[in-house]
Amino acid sequence: MQNKLFIDGRFVDAAARGTIDVLNPHDGSLITAIAAAEAQDVDRAVQAAQRAFPAWSRMGAAERGRLLLKLADLIEANAEELAQLETLDTGHPIRDTRGLDVPRTAGCFRYFGGMADKLQGSVIPVEAGFLNYVQRAPIGVVGQIVPWNFPLMFTSWKLGPALAAGNTVVLKPSELTPLSTLRVAELMAEAGFPDGVVNMVPGYGHTAGQRLAEHPDVGKIAFTGSTATGRRIVEASKGNLKRVQLELGGKGANIVFDDANLDAAVNGAAWAIFHNQGQACIAGSRLMLHDRIADAFLERFTALANSIRLGDPRSPDTEMGPLTSAQHRDKVLSYVSIAAEQGARVLAGGNAPGGELSAGYYVAPTIVEAGPRDRVAQEEVFGPFVTVLRFGSDDEALAIANATDYGLGSGLWTRDLARAHKLAGAIHAGMCWINCYKRVNPGSPFGGVGQSGYGREMGFEAMHDYTEARSVWVNVDAAMPPHFKR
Ligand code: NDP
């Protein structure tokens, strides 16, 4: 298992020789200690990426694509190892890392491998006698900061479009969960990516992340994390006016109308909040129920939540594992007291399970019923914690759904097609799922509005976000009368 920095094609120690302990969230035990990148290591990585850029950006697009396709094959060939590593490091249940994270990672690299030679420029119809064409040129060295909630999958979401478009990369995995990303670095070397095209610098956000965001030779920074840190990234990026892409927090409204298929909605709502222990920016963390079905829905929903199998994420029977860190578990549990102080009712959970799970960072599936302005209906908890809100009409549902600063994921459960399409267009969110939740595909743009950030991951939008439009004018046969007659 690799535990060093990956710079210029080699695994190396941090210059200051610092290390960070990586813990198993199931029991708090030490997995390994990784090298801790600091500013000087980030500088070395940026230099390597700068040296690699000319050859990589001039390489045939199909050739870049071929390397990404090879990487996708290697991810699949090493699928079980990657799933085990991700489960060990993050606490995601193995059924999900095997069934979702690893296949989605391979699928994302494959999609952008195929996309590399499909990115086309355009020819603009301008005045007679001139040819104007627009190329999509890579930006240069890009910095990418990946959080701890889906480290493997998010690594592919960030690397795929950046590399396909011809950029070179310095990527900072979270120091909490760097292991699967470092394994991807090894697989990239095996696939034949040239040295320096991708560099990995696990380290703390306030040192390594901050340096990457402010580095004068980094042309773009792509960040996934909290809205507060997103603002810090924007501040840090100002020095060289680098481009910024932000995928930040969310407070997803998941709205169940009185004509919904309740069986599907109950199960879908549980998936929307409890998958990955609720540690997802798109989680359906505000469950909005029509007055007419709310009580019947809650009876079934709380029964389902109370029956979810919590346990060692390495067991194939486990449906929910631990949260990724002790600090984060404590933050999630603090919201139970915050809810109670504001008069919310706890309908399920609200505690850390005891017994054999007490050494790990577990939180029981938690359901609270609150008012739409309460803190638990406004702030991102980022755990297995759902806030129930009731409504009586479509207009009221829309008003409550849009009454947050966030705008990332949203969901609607109804059999009424007109209502579904009308509301999907009116909810202030980058994504809306109708009679499903949390669907993602590498072809479909992913991102938010408002305090959830800007820019898009995946799809053509992501490729465009990793390129600059370069406009070239040619005088083919235009008569050019002199501007200054002499
Ligand atoms: P942060 O936003 O603080 O951290 C996310 C990543 O950014 C980490 O790798 C972190 O490194 C890094 N970082 C922190 N400070 C800086 C900085 N100044 N410059 C550059 N990078 C930096 O989130 P937390 O991990 O503290 O989680 C807090 C909350 O953020 C969660 O409860 C959740 O609400 C939200 N979040 C949202 C995510 C999403 O998917 N949109 C993902 C993760 C968190 P380090 O760990 O060393 O601080």
Side-chain angles (χ1 to χ4, degrees), residues 60-247:
E63 182 63 10
R64 284 199 301 269
R66 199 185 59 77
L67 288 169
L68 285 164
L69 294 172
K70 193 156 178 204
L71 178 60
D73 291 344
L74 285 171
I75 302 267
E76 279 169 353
N78 293 277
E80 181 58 21
E81 182 202 346
L82 282 164
Q84 293 284 355
L85 206 52
E86 191 77 335
T87 288
L88 178 71
D89 203 6
T90 64
H92 295 202
I94 189 77
R95 68 168 196 165
D96 292 340
T97 52
R98 278 182 186 145
L100 293 172
D101 299 60
V102 174
R104 284 179 172 174
T105 300
C108 181
F109 281 127
R110 186 161 290 127
Y111 175 85
F112 285 107
M115 172 78 87
D117 59 357
K118 317 288 182 300
L119 181 70
Q120 297 172 352
S122 53
V123 178
I124 312 297
V126 293
E127 297 83 354
F130 290 96
L131 167 67
N132 176 232
Y133 61 90
V134 179
Q135 296 172 313
R136 304 295 324 185
I139 294 166
V141 177
V142 302
Q144 303 184 323
I145 299 176
V146 172
W148 42 266
N149 52 335
F150 292 96
L152 178 64
M153 205 172 74
F154 285 172
T155 293
S156 70
W157 288 20
K158 290 215 172 348
L159 287 182
L163 295 175
N167 302 282
T168 55
V169 178
V170 177
L171 183 147
K172 187 191 98 62
S174 166
E175 79 287 353
L176 294 170
T177 57
L179 302 182
S180 58
T181 310
L182 292 174
R183 181 71 182 113
V184 170
E186 276 186 309
L187 295 176
M188 295 187 96
E190 189 179 333
F193 281 83
D195 293 349
V197 166
V198 170
N199 306 273
M200 311 271 196
V201 285
Y204 291 113
H206 62 275
T207 50
Q210 182 75 21
R211 178 61 182 154
L212 197 52
E214 66 193 16
H215 201 293
D217 298 321
V218 170
K220 166 176 173 169
I221 189 95
F223 170 76
T224 300
S226 66
T227 299
T229 304
R231 284 198 195 92
R232 250 177 260 133
I233 300 275
V234 172
E235 274 299 315
S237 72
K238 282 184 345 195
N240 69 335
L241 294 179
K242 61 173 63 64
R243 292 181 42 180
V244 180
Q245 181 184 332
L246 299 174
E247 204 274 89

Side-chain angles (χ1 to χ4, degrees), residues 279-301:
Q279 301 168 124
C281 47
I282 55 175
S285 52
R286 284 183 299 157
L287 175 59
M288 294 175 48
L289 304 177
H290 191 282
D291 288 331
R292 271 199 287 271
I293 50 93
D295 289 336
F297 186 99
L298 283 174
E299 198 181 319
R300 289 149 81 168
F301 186 63

Side-chain angles (χ1 to χ4, degrees), residues 299-381:
E299 198 181 319
R300 289 149 81 168
F301 186 63
T302 47
L304 177 57
N306 287 329
S307 73
I308 290 177
R309 289 192 295 273
L310 251 69
D312 187 336
R314 290 165 295 188
S315 161
D317 294 331
T318 292
E319 293 172 329
M320 248 179 68
L323 302 193
T324 295
S325 70
Q327 190 193 14
H328 188 58
R329 175 208 46 206
D330 296 346
K331 177 190 152 182
V332 171
L333 287 173
S334 76
Y335 273 96
V336 179
S337 324
I338 291 169
E341 277 160 25
Q342 294 197 291
R345 285 196 306 140
V346 178
L347 306 179
N351 62 299
E356 58 186 25
L357 300 185
S358 56
Y361 314 144
Y362 290 85
V363 173
T366 298
I367 306 170
V368 302
E369 182 161 3
R373 299 306 308 169
D374 289 353
R375 284 183 62 188
V376 289
Q378 292 292 324
E379 297 174 17
E380 185 177 50
V381 178

